[in-house]
Amino acid sequence: MSRSDFLAAWPFFLLYTLLFVMLTVGDLVSVSLFVKRVGSHDLPLYYAVIAVLNGMLTAVYWRALPCFSAVRLFYGLIAGSVSMMAASWLLLHTLDPAHSLWVFGVLFVNREITFTFILLHFGNFLQDYFDRESMNRVLAFVYAGGRLGSLMGGFLMATASHLMPMLNFLWVFVGLG
């Protein structure tokens, strides 16, 4: 990778790092709360729901892709996920706990779908900024930002989880989004 490739890819490395800090926090919160409140016995059902929704939403995504710029679609994906996380937090703080188990399912499904679509769309997003030859050179570097972000998100959760309730980490997700 040349110096010019590095300079061009650096902002995308940082963006991908930030996204993966956000996704890792969302993952740890949603999975922890889901297993604690709903139970692991329902995971196969929820993974089946996620698979069906991902299939349906992927079809919608591919139909919408030519209609929107990659940046606008990227903002929409992030805004939708952040809105769902904030709404989940609000619902879990206002609903009777006996009637809010479904919200943990929504939280879990939202995070899984967000992860799928961030990964799916980020490659399309990069194509607006790099040609195929440049992508071949910079992609490994940019995607390394995701590994760094996962490590940073895990470290954040490991070191700060004793400072506030797990549910409040949704605001870390929202803030990063």
Side-chain angles (χ1 to χ4, degrees):
M1 186 165 71
S2 70
R3 178 172 165 73
S4 64
D5 286 338
F6 176 78
L7 293 174
W10 184 248
F12 299 98
F13 173 87
L14 293 175
L15 176 60
Y16 214 55
T17 301
L18 181 67
L19 286 170
F20 268 82
V21 172
M22 179 187 84
L23 291 171
T24 301
V25 168
D27 184 45
L28 293 173
V29 170
S30 65
V31 171
S32 298
L33 292 174
F34 182 88
V35 170
K36 182 178 180 182
R37 304 285 169 84
V38 177
S40 61
H41 60 281
D42 281 345
L43 280 173
L45 171 65
Y46 276 85
Y47 278 120
V49 168
I50 289 163
V52 170
L53 285 173
N54 272 336
M56 292 172 17
L57 291 171
T58 299
V60 171
Y61 169 81
W62 287 117
R63 296 279 306 216
L65 195 56
C67 302
F68 299 97
S69 73
V71 172
R72 179 174 246 156
L73 198 51
F74 194 58
Y75 287 154
L77 291 170
I78 298 294
S81 180
V82 163
S83 298
M84 289 289 289
M85 291 294 199
S88 296
W89 183 90
L90 184 64
L91 287 168
L92 289 168
H93 278 83
T94 57
L95 292 176
D96 175 23
H99 298 94
S100 64
L101 284 180
W102 64 272
V103 181
F104 293 106
V106 169
L107 188 66
F108 180 71
V109 169
N110 175 59
R111 197 311 243 157
E112 291 291 322
I113 289 172
T114 297
F115 188 83
T116 299
F117 280 91
I118 292 297
L119 292 178
L120 176 69
H121 187 65
F122 202 78
N124 288 327
F125 176 70
L126 287 175
Q127 289 177 22
D128 281 358
Y129 300 93
F130 298 98
D131 62 25
R132 187 75 216 144
E133 189 177 309
S134 297
M135 286 267 289
N136 289 340
R137 290 190 306 267
V138 303
L139 211 50
F141 173 67
V142 171
Y143 283 168
R147 299 302 75 186
L148 177 62
S150 294
L151 291 170
M152 292 169 65
F155 180 77
L156 171 67
M157 294 296 291
T159 57
S161 60
H162 67 283
L163 299 175
M164 64 181 172
M166 184 65 73
L167 187 58
N168 289 343
F169 277 97
L170 288 178
W171 291 109
V172 173
F173 181 95
V174 169
L176 290 169

